[in-house]
Amino acid sequence: MKAISPRPAIPASLASQLLTSSLAADEVTSVANYLAELMQGLHGGQWRVSINHDSCFVCIARDFK
């Protein structure tokens, strides 16, 4: 049976970039949620946030029911 070699460690520069990207994504979510709260306070209703990082799309819209 062949031994499986361990995965190489992620270079520090890439690990830092991944961490920064994750923090930036969290920041985008926080800001979008805050804007939805402001819109709710201004216009009433329930607001929803949709974020798609693959298509670079952020939507903050009122749910009409």
Side-chain angles (χ1 to χ4, degrees):
M1 187 172 190
K2 186 176 181 180
I4 298 173
S5 59
R7 281 179 38 181
I10 296 175
S13 59
L14 181 57
S16 172
Q17 188 176 18
L18 290 173
L19 179 59
T20 301
S21 295
S22 177
L23 293 174
D26 290 345
E27 184 79 9
V28 168
T29 300
S30 294
V31 170
N33 287 330
Y34 177 65
L35 181 55
E37 289 175 17
L38 290 175
M39 294 297 283
Q40 182 177 0
L42 184 62
H43 300 291
Q46 294 296 313
W47 290 76
R48 60 187 163 87
V49 173
S50 178
I51 301 171
N52 184 319
H53 294 283
D54 293 329
S55 62
C56 302
F57 179 82
V58 176
C59 178
I60 301 165
R62 187 174 178 181
D63 274 336
F64 292 100
K65 293 184 178 183

